[in-house]
Amino acid sequence: MRAANVARLGLKELRSLAADPVLVLLILYTFTYAIYAVATGANFEVSNAAVAVVDDDRSALSFRLRDAVLPPQFAHVVEMTAAQADAALDAGDTVFVLHVPAGFEADLLRGRPASLLLDVDATAMTQAGNGAAYLQSIIARELAVAAGRDDGISAGGQAVDMVVRARFNPNLSSVWFNAVMQVINNVTMLSVILAGAALIREREHGTIEHLLVMPVTPAEIMAAKIGANGLVIVVASLLSLLVMVQGVLGVPVRGSLLLYAGGAVLYQLSVTALGILLATIARSMPQFGLLVIPVIVTMNLLSGSSTPLESMPDWLQWLMQASPATHFVAFSQAVLYRGAGLAIVWPMLAALALIGAVIFAVALARFRRTVVEMG
């Protein structure tokens, strides 16, 4: 390949992209408002959850338990009868119902077995699980204080003071996770779409035939499309991290943006080549869209950006090692969340390079065959 030809073809790609208002608006939307909407709208922590209490004890301890449930995790506790609480759960008006039986405080103070009942609406599983854990912790703390202990944990008669420290996200805010991961997912989506759309656009406008009569090779044409569209995506993602993630949302980026940019450039080798490969199979833009949707959804959902890779079946974890998105997500999380350096992330970069070389070779072979058929 001749660098001069690739550079000139790359400039042509950039001009064609700039002349397409739909793709320009898609890039702007994807790396601005879409990041903000997903980061602030899809929260997984417990916030303002409705709690009701059925207090048959009417004791000082039952009132103390009620007063310990506070915002912002929970809304103000509402007292109900048992029938009202059942109706509220059925209607979805409350998520948690705490039942305090009659004689609860007396049984506890006399050392007799005492029990509490917590009903949970598990329709929203994440909120139900986290909220139930918070409520259990609150109740255990208050019962320990009522029983005359300063803590709720004991072992062998000796008090144990366990200190929990949350690293990298001390407030356990889902906004911090969602914002960065949405940028990474959008990098995957737009890289495939832009590269493939560039080839489809050439075919639909008839300009691919003009390229075939020029002294350029298929490898140079493909390298120009990958380089130009990949450059746009990398620059847009860096600006999104600086302006939207750090500036607007206030999410700290701990690692080196230069190292992230290097990994993103390496990632473009595989995902943009994948877009061109899909474009050689499709004959029109609608067909290309139908091919892209399942590929992008599968790559994003199973890459570890939405759910932990470790929670998937073993065979699926092994299968997803062939996806470049899996390694790029692990690389981005290590660099942007935990501030990892090159000494830690080089295996991920090596995997990206290997997978990218394979996909590029397959896409180039398919692209050459398509060019020959069109010629």
Side-chain angles (χ1 to χ4, degrees):
M1 288 191 295
R2 289 161 290 185
N5 286 349
V6 175
R8 293 189 182 97
L9 290 172
L11 289 175
K12 179 192 74 68
E13 291 296 329
L14 292 176
R15 293 193 186 99
S16 298
L17 179 60
D20 192 329
V22 174
L23 290 180
V24 171
L25 288 175
L26 176 63
I27 295 172
L28 292 175
Y29 167 79
T30 301
F31 285 109
T32 53
Y33 180 72
I35 304 296
Y36 179 85
V38 172
T40 58
N43 293 328
F44 298 103
E45 62 264 19
V46 180
S47 177
N48 202 38
V51 181
V53 62
V54 178
D55 190 358
D56 294 329
D57 192 32
R58 311 300 296 178
S59 63
L61 180 56
S62 65
F63 284 106
R64 181 171 180 168
L65 291 176
R66 182 190 313 180
D67 294 339
V69 181
L70 300 172
Q73 287 85 8
F74 302 99
H76 294 290
V77 177
V78 178
E79 185 174 357
M80 298 182 179
T81 64
Q84 290 172 336
D86 289 340
L89 280 173
D90 292 339
D93 294 333
T94 188
V95 181
F96 305 97
V97 177
L98 177 63
H99 297 259
V100 184
F104 173 75
E105 183 181 41
D107 291 339
L108 185 68
L109 294 178
R110 291 183 173 87
R112 294 198 295 258
S115 61
L116 291 171
L117 174 63
L118 180 64
D119 287 333
V120 181
D121 179 2
T123 304
M125 294 182 295
T126 302
Q127 179 178 248
N130 294 341
Y134 290 157
L135 286 174
Q136 291 177 41
S137 176
I138 293 171
I139 293 170
R141 183 182 68 244
E142 296 301 322
L143 293 181
V145 173
R149 298 197 309 269
D150 292 331
D151 56 81
I153 303 174
S154 61
Q158 300 294 324
V160 176
D161 185 15
M162 182 176 65
V163 177
V164 178
R165 182 178 63 174
R167 299 185 62 188
F168 313 120
N169 189 355
N171 294 325
L172 304 180
S173 173
S174 62
V175 173
W176 287 27
F177 177 79
N178 291 339
V180 177
M181 283 300 96
Q182 188 62 25
V183 173
I184 303 307
N185 288 339
N186 289 349
V187 166
T188 301
M189 178 184 68
L190 280 186
S191 298
V192 175
I193 291 176
L194 289 187
L199 180 57
I200 297 291
R201 186 170 55 242
E202 297 270 18
R203 182 184 300 155
E204 290 181 344
H205 294 175
T207 54
I208 189 69
E209 287 81 2
H210 299 167
L211 294 176
L212 296 179
V213 299
M214 295 176 64
V216 293
T217 64
E220 292 170 349
I221 298 173
M222 183 171 164
K225 294 184 181 300
I226 289 176
N229 292 286
L231 176 63
V232 171
I233 297 301
V234 172
V235 172
S237 67
L238 285 172
L239 291 176
S240 182
L241 287 172
L242 289 171
V243 177
M244 292 301 302
V245 176
Q246 286 187 305
V248 177
L249 296 172
V251 179
V253 176
R254 303 187 182 279
S256 169
L257 287 178
L258 183 61
L259 179 59
Y260 162 77
V265 169
L266 197 58
Y267 182 53
Q268 294 304 305
L269 178 65
S270 56
V271 283
T272 50
L274 178 61
I276 291 178
L277 176 62
L278 295 176
T280 60
I281 299 173
R283 295 301 176 184
S284 63
M285 196 66 77
Q287 288 184 5
F288 176 68
L290 292 176
L291 283 175
V292 164
I293 290 174
V295 172
I296 292 177
V297 169
T298 302
M299 291 177 67
N300 283 346
L301 289 181
L302 301 181
S303 64
S305 63
S306 300
T307 57
L309 198 66
E310 294 79 9
S311 65
M312 302 177 190
D314 292 339
W315 65 268
L316 186 56
Q317 294 184 40
W318 282 102
L319 181 63
M320 289 309 297
Q321 297 304 311
S323 170
T326 302
H327 302 283
F328 185 60
V329 166
F331 162 81
S332 301
Q333 289 178 347
V335 173
L336 300 178
Y337 286 135
R338 300 187 288 273
L342 183 60
I344 296 177
V345 300
W346 72 264
M348 307 166 196
L349 295 177
L352 283 175
L354 178 61
I355 296 173
V358 172
I359 297 179
F360 183 87
V362 173
L364 180 58
R366 174 71 188 180
F367 181 67
R368 280 174 172 158
R369 190 182 314 145
T370 302
V371 168
V372 169
E373 292 173 356
M374 295 179 64

